[in-house]
Amino acid sequence: MKTDLVIVTYNSVSYIQRCLEAIRTYTPPGYTIIVVDNGSTDGTLEYLQSFGNIELIENGQNKGYASAVNLGIKNGTSETIVIMNPDVFVTENWLPPLMDTLWKEEQTAIVAPKLINSSNQLVGVGTNWDWTSPYFLCPNEPGILEETRACLAINGACFLLKRHLLDKLGLLDEHYFHYFEETDYCFNAIHCGYNILFCPDSTIYHEYYPNPARDEAIKQYWVQSETHFNRKWSYQGNGIVAKNVQKEGG
């Protein structure tokens, strides 16, 4: 089955090269890389223009993460869509387990891999929710992180979608400039009766690269996105409740 790999870049030159090389090394044939650049000024765009074998969309300005992802999705045609950050690095046999898990059951809408950093620390294993804060999926239960498990949300650094479900679930909500867009999409999927799965049989590296120059902007994006998310959703007992907030991008 063909797959679209959608990657959004913004001043990502220090890691997009490694990301693309890992994809080329460890991904079986049948994929298309779609990169949406949000107005990079650090050499990212020049590198992407020289890389070849990718579909490059140049936004010319930073239009936000959700908007850029949606643009990449709409420019693809494959039935399986992989949303990836430019600072993830795939490993051998990363994609087949995710594909198998995604397509095993019709009610599965989203699948995400185990994410670790270069120190082999877990940084993404799916989350549950107590509404005051998300938390890792049952981290204290022995063996729990070695089994495919349902969860309420996943880490948006890498996750898979089904294109035919876009008619029911829409695209990412473009009210989110940065942060919470993947959590929102997971809540929407569950609210519509679908499942979100964490698949530990696929391992991907995800590094965080501190950038003091953007710390303040990041804090502002988080607060804005969290405010919109909390206005839009609530979690009561075992059910996700949607509030009356207009969505964009769907």
Side-chain angles (χ1 to χ4, degrees):
M1 181 179 293
K2 293 183 178 180
T3 307
D4 290 332
L5 311 181
V6 177
I7 306 171
V8 175
T9 54
Y10 176 68
N11 291 339
S12 310
V13 70
S14 59
Y15 35 89
I16 186 60
Q17 300 178 37
R18 181 181 172 191
C19 175
L20 293 179
E21 291 296 345
I23 289 171
R24 187 155 58 182
T25 301
Y26 295 118
T27 307
Y31 64 90
T32 299
I33 300 175
I34 303 172
V35 181
V36 183
D37 185 78
N38 263 347
S40 294
T41 58
D42 66 341
T44 297
L45 192 56
E46 289 77 10
Y47 171 75
L48 293 171
Q49 290 169 338
S50 67
F51 185 79
N53 296 320
I54 65 173
E55 294 185 12
L56 176 60
I57 302 170
E58 301 178 26
N59 264 341
Q61 59 180 311
N62 192 347
K63 297 183 178 181
Y65 184 75
S67 173
V69 167
N70 289 344
L71 184 58
I73 290 174
K74 287 185 284 189
N75 275 269
T77 59
S78 297
E79 185 55 36
T80 303
I81 303 165
V82 184
I83 311 300
M84 309 175 70
N85 283 4
D87 58 353
V88 300
F89 315 119
V90 301
T91 62
E92 187 173 2
N93 198 45
W94 73 278
L95 186 56
L98 296 174
M99 295 280 283
D100 291 345
T101 302
L102 181 69
W103 291 103
K104 184 176 181 180
E105 302 288 344
E106 174 58 29
Q107 289 307 113
T108 300
I110 301 170
V111 171
K114 179 191 296 183
L115 297 175
I116 62 174
N117 62 20
S118 56
S119 299
N120 290 321
Q121 297 171 317
L122 292 169
V123 295
V125 294
T127 61
N128 283 329
W129 211 266
D130 64 7
W131 206 252
T132 59
S133 63
Y135 57 92
F136 277 161
L137 179 64
C138 308
N140 296 319
E141 295 184 28
I144 196 79
L145 300 184
E146 302 306 319
E147 302 176 4
T148 298
R149 289 279 177 162
C151 53
L152 288 180
I154 46 79
N155 185 303
C158 183
F159 61 102
L160 277 65
L161 307 175
K162 295 173 177 174
R163 184 173 294 278
H164 76 268
L165 290 184
L166 296 178
D167 291 340
K168 297 180 180 179
L169 303 181
L171 297 168
L172 301 189
D173 183 343
E174 294 180 10
H175 281 96
Y176 299 104
F177 188 89
H178 195 27
Y179 294 123
F180 281 88
E181 56 281 306
E182 79 274 29
T183 308
D184 176 280
Y185 203 82
C186 288
F187 271 49
N188 183 45
I190 293 174
H191 184 64
C192 292
Y194 292 92
N195 299 321
I196 314 300
L197 298 182
F198 157 67
C199 175
D201 293 332
S202 174
T203 299
I204 294 176
Y205 287 96
H206 180 222
E207 299 292 346
Y208 171 72
Y209 297 90
N211 186 344
R214 68 182 185 185
D215 280 353
E216 190 57 37
I218 285 177
K219 291 178 183 178
Q220 293 177 8
Y221 294 147
W222 180 277
V223 170
Q224 292 168 0
S225 293
E226 184 179 33
T227 298
H228 177 64
F229 181 84
N230 286 334
R231 287 178 57 238
K232 183 175 177 181
W233 300 102
S234 65
Y235 183 64
Q236 300 176 3
N238 294 320
I240 291 173
V241 179
K243 301 178 183 178
N244 187 24
V245 176
Q246 183 180 3
K247 294 190 297 179
E248 292 182 2

